[in-house]
Amino acid sequence: MPVLGLGVWKTPSGRATLDSVDAALRAGYRLVDTAALYGNEADVGQALRKSGIPRDELFVTTKLWNDDQGYERALAAFRKSQAALGVGVVDLYLIHWPVDQRLESWRALRKLQRDGACRSIGVSNFMIPHLEELLQAGDVVPSVNQVEFNPFLFQRELLEYCRKHRIQLEAYAPLTRGRRLDDPVLRDIAETHHKTPAQVVLRWALQHDVVIIPKSVRTERIRENAQLFDFQLRESEMEALDRLNENLRTAWDPSNVP
Ligand code: NDP
């Protein structure tokens, strides 16, 4: 999968989603991360189709919302998302949160993958015990686990666990939703490289082999967030950024979900 994607949570349906996906594709992004919950799957699909970029160069992720968990409901929810997107096979379908009936939902996702309706299946917000449960329940390992991840929420143990089990970690809120971009350590490192703090936190995730899906509705920031491949953080800088961890969560914490 591409290592950089555009997130569209809170991007309003309609013009804003159409324009931000269009800006991202022009800036070189090939992955778009949406979800049934976001209410903009149809706009994402429309923007992808309109781009003229061959379908096999694009990668679209969507997610199963909590109210639709369970075997039959998950199958029906997927069909709805797939129809809204209108781009044929879905590249990656994720269980959005590890709530009740997740194992039943996972059975549905496995069927969808077997049937060729989605290329890859995975999970989101799964902590190590949720992943253990899933691995024990079946023979299919999720391709991806999408979790909140940035230097201020450096989930090292989870990263290592996923690496060991060949599950690709994907970072949401990679920019801390803008809440820590004024950190002095981060600012210093950014100045050294003539880069912005946003570019440094994104680069940090890439150097940890984590896929990133920053969200923006502004063309100039969408471009900024993609200019990550012309510099490299030194080991000492990576370590300094690792040390910024303060278990900051901007989203609901799934650690205590049984
Ligand atoms: P991000 O960390 O991507 O931050 C987005 C915020 O940062 C927006 O307010 C944006 O404002 C601002 N921003 C974007 N670029 C810059 C920049 N270069 N400098 C300063 N500020 C900037 O948070 P998200 O929560 O949106 O996470 C990214 C994506 O991850 C989501 O859009 C969604 O696709 C996914 N996600 C998945 C979840 C899950 O449960 N699986 C939960 C949450 C998110 P503006 O738009 O005005 O530029």
Side-chain angles (χ1 to χ4, degrees), residues 6-9 33-34 38 63 96-97 124-125 146 171-178 181 196 198 213-218 221 224-225 250-251:
L6 177 76
V8 294
W9 185 54
D33 180 85
T34 183
Y38 304 169
K63 313 184 192 85
H96 209 142
W97 285 92
S124 177
N125 296 299
Q146 183 184 113
Y172 77 71
L175 299 169
T176 68
R177 295 188 178 153
L181 296 181
T196 64
I213 45 169
K215 173 263 177 187
S216 180
V217 290
R218 306 186 205 194
R221 283 181 172 176
E224 176 189 330
N225 297 343
T250 64

Side-chain angles (χ1 to χ4, degrees), residues 143-156:
S143 300
V144 166
N145 185 19
Q146 183 184 113
V147 297
E148 185 165 4
F149 190 88
N150 56 57
F152 302 87
L153 177 59
F154 179 31
Q155 306 195 62
R156 191 195 289 269

Side-chain angles (χ1 to χ4, degrees), residues 108-121 140 143:
L109 266 60
R110 285 165 58 198
K111 175 177 165 49
L112 290 167
Q113 189 185 31
R114 269 199 312 276
D115 292 350
C118 47
R119 279 169 60 200
S120 296
I121 54 175
V140 178
S143 300

Side-chain angles (χ1 to χ4, degrees), residues 3-4 195 203 206 212 225-232:
V3 296
L4 167 70
K195 287 284 176 181
R203 181 73 209 180
L206 289 181
I212 44 171
N225 297 343
Q227 283 156 17
L228 308 174
F229 303 98
D230 56 355
F231 77 113
Q232 182 135 21

Side-chain angles (χ1 to χ4, degrees), residues 150-152 154 156 160 183 185-186 189 193 200 203-205 207-208 232-246:
N150 56 57
F152 302 87
F154 179 31
R156 191 195 289 269
E160 282 165 7
D183 178 90
V185 172
L186 181 54
I189 296 174
H193 290 276
V200 168
R203 181 73 209 180
W204 170 86
Q207 287 185 216
H208 274 303
Q232 182 135 21
L233 298 169
R234 287 186 287 276
E235 214 170 301
S236 59
E237 293 169 329
M238 287 295 288
E239 285 163 6
L241 292 165
D242 291 351
R243 283 194 295 271
L244 295 178
N245 181 41
E246 52 176 85

